[in-house]
Amino acid sequence: MINREWHLLSRPVGWPKPEDFALVETEVPTPREGQVLIRNKYLSVDPYMRGRMSAAKSYVAPFELGKVMQGGAVGEVIASEAEGVAVGDHVLHFFGWREYAVVDAGHAVKVDPQAAPLSTYLGVLGMPGLTAYAGLLRTAAFKEGDSVFVSGAAGAVGSQVGQIARLKGASRVIGSAGSDDKVKLLVEEYGFDAAFNYKKGPVAEQLREAAPDGVDVYFDNVGGDHLEAAIGLLNEAGRIVICGMISVYNNTEPAPGPKNLARLIQTRGRIEGLLVGDHYDLQPQFVQEVGPWVASGALKYRETVVEGIENNLEAFLGVLRGDNTGKMIVKL
């Protein structure tokens, strides 16, 4: 049996190029004692993966050159040498970017395809969902009555942040997105009070119009002019959560920082970075609370699905371009 997997050949400078990668054919691996063989069904591509393509020191090790990359995946166990995991079980694991994976049983988490579609365990009920939940409720210390601004609000994380804020009693929820269709989705389907297309005018001006009473919480997925605009409208004791800065991921030179950081003195504002890995203790609470919202339709989600392992790279590049609405998923 042939296994196809994506290898990183060279570290991208600026925007990743197809020649930085290769789709390689290998033999399907055989599990040893304590391991399982998984046929992947859905793969995740996420903005953070761009950072792992760099050699720069970060919170997670970079992808190794000439070797298969990693990422979230959901698949079916087709061979097992581990107690407690049977052939036919469906599991969530971190060995994506490939069709078949051998995984230590301790690194495979069983999921129930009857409880929710398998793809949701990579999105609304998976890592992006927990990121939104922990970032808003713990890092930002959201409280009822807060005004919340989310950038990248039509993405997998941002869309969930805004909806959780609404369900938890935010006074106003504002989102930014990169197209008129996404803006319409935020307001008409996700229940945002206001949204704007950041490509249609200065972010600071559009945010001021959308949030006339200022912002208590800013959930940042973009950085750049969005962060500066949020600092400019931050209310007293406001909180800013830095989840991502997709606007600068492909820069070849350091991006200038916000020019108005001194305003944090006036507002006694706080900026804090967010890594979901610090908050997995919230996973049971997250599933218990968000699962019923998803099942009832109170919290809605979208997925952009690309088919075929051969299109995994293009799906990833699409995330960097903002082509996706909601979670970008590769279906095998």
Side-chain angles (χ1 to χ4, degrees), residues 13-24:
V13 177
W15 276 85
K17 303 179 293 297
E19 52 266 35
D20 295 323
F21 309 85
L23 183 59
V24 177

Side-chain angles (χ1 to χ4, degrees), residues 13 98 185 218 220 251 281 292 315 320:
V13 177
R98 69 199 83 185
L185 173 70
Y218 171 47
D220 189 16
N251 287 3
D281 62 296
L320 297 183

Side-chain angles (χ1 to χ4, degrees), residues 1 3 5 26-31 36-38 79 98 100-103:
M1 294 173 62
N3 182 31
E5 55 187 36
T26 64
E27 290 186 4
V28 172
T30 301
V36 294
L37 173 62
I38 301 163
R98 69 199 83 185
Y100 295 87
V102 163
V103 178

